Amino acid sequence: MLLVAGLGNPGVEYARNRHNVGFMAADAVAGRFGFPAWRAKFSGALAEGRIGGEKVILLKPQTYMNESGRAVAKAVNFYKLQPEDVLVLHDEIDLDAGKVRLKEGGGLAGHNGLKDIKAHMGADFRRLRFGVGHPGDQDLVTGHVLNDFSASDRQWLDPLLAAVADNFELLVMGRDQDFMSALAVAAPPPSGGE
């Protein structure tokens, strides 16, 4: 069983924010694999289904980003999972826009959603990090991640989300390198980043 937690903030005003790319990715996976409608559970929106024969629980915490760990921990405890059974989908300002990286454990790069998850269950969970670029000044970071993706961003974001969903079964099966190779072919990042 795999718990996939897409991070973001609830509410239509945040729906297209860079900070909500985790929600967007979870929605893309749910749509690609025909998961049933999202329902309220664990202080989040939850959808369950099967991918590649494995049970997958998709969770979008509805606690706001800074308290994401509360919802994730409730699901982990309910299903009796270990941190290594959790994959978190989130934005990453330290990656150029359009780049994606997989990581397990390690530093949290100041991401408040990840910090809260670590506080509830440790840092030994897997992460799929979606690069949204850095605004160049630390004082501008909050505004950057809480602003919507631009129209030009959608040119790389939409194909990337589709490629993540199309190849997600590889992640579920633990074929991380094959997943990353498939993404590089299907949705290469914009040249030079942004």
Side-chain angles (χ1 to χ4, degrees):
M1 185 184 307
L2 180 67
L3 172 65
V4 180
L7 302 190
N9 286 310
V12 293
E13 67 272 32
Y14 300 108
R16 299 177 65 80
N17 285 184
R18 291 180 180 93
H19 223 17
N20 274 41
V21 71
F23 276 13
M24 295 173 196
D27 286 335
V29 171
R32 168 66 176 79
F33 291 95
F35 278 37
W38 296 93
R39 60 190 170 95
K41 194 164 185 174
F42 308 127
S43 302
L46 181 128
E48 298 175 65
R50 297 193 87 73
I51 299 176
E54 285 289 316
K55 183 173 183 177
V56 174
I57 298 114
L58 295 174
L59 178 68
K60 297 188 296 184
Q62 301 294 294
T63 51
Y64 289 94
M65 184 66 81
N66 294 356
E67 295 187 357
S68 298
R70 187 158 41 101
V72 173
K74 284 180 181 181
V76 164
N77 292 335
F78 180 85
Y79 291 107
K80 298 179 174 49
L81 300 175
Q82 299 301 314
E84 54 268 22
D85 301 321
V86 177
L87 173 65
V88 177
L89 316 176
H90 66 90
D91 61 304
E92 175 68 71
I93 60 169
D94 292 333
L95 286 176
D96 287 340
K99 289 194 174 182
V100 176
R101 294 288 180 270
L102 269 166
K103 181 176 183 178
E104 183 171 339
L108 307 176
H111 193 290
N112 289 329
L114 297 177
K115 286 182 191 175
D116 198 57
I117 294 171
K118 178 183 178 184
H120 281 84
M121 55 176 262
D124 294 331
F125 51 91
R126 291 165 67 211
R127 297 182 289 217
L128 187 61
R129 304 156 59 213
F130 290 83
V132 297
H134 197 290
D137 182 332
Q138 194 61 32
D139 293 337
L140 301 177
V141 166
T142 300
H144 179 69
V145 298
L146 292 178
N147 274 321
D148 289 355
F149 282 106
S150 68
S152 63
D153 287 334
R154 300 304 299 198
Q155 294 174 6
W156 59 260
L157 180 63
D158 293 341
L160 176 59
L161 293 172
V164 165
D166 288 345
N167 295 286
F168 204 76
E169 185 174 340
L170 295 170
L171 276 185
V172 174
M173 297 183 333
R175 293 172 52 191
D176 293 359
Q177 194 53 52
D178 291 338
F179 171 81
M180 293 303 295
S181 296
L183 273 196
V185 171
S191 44
E194 286 187 14

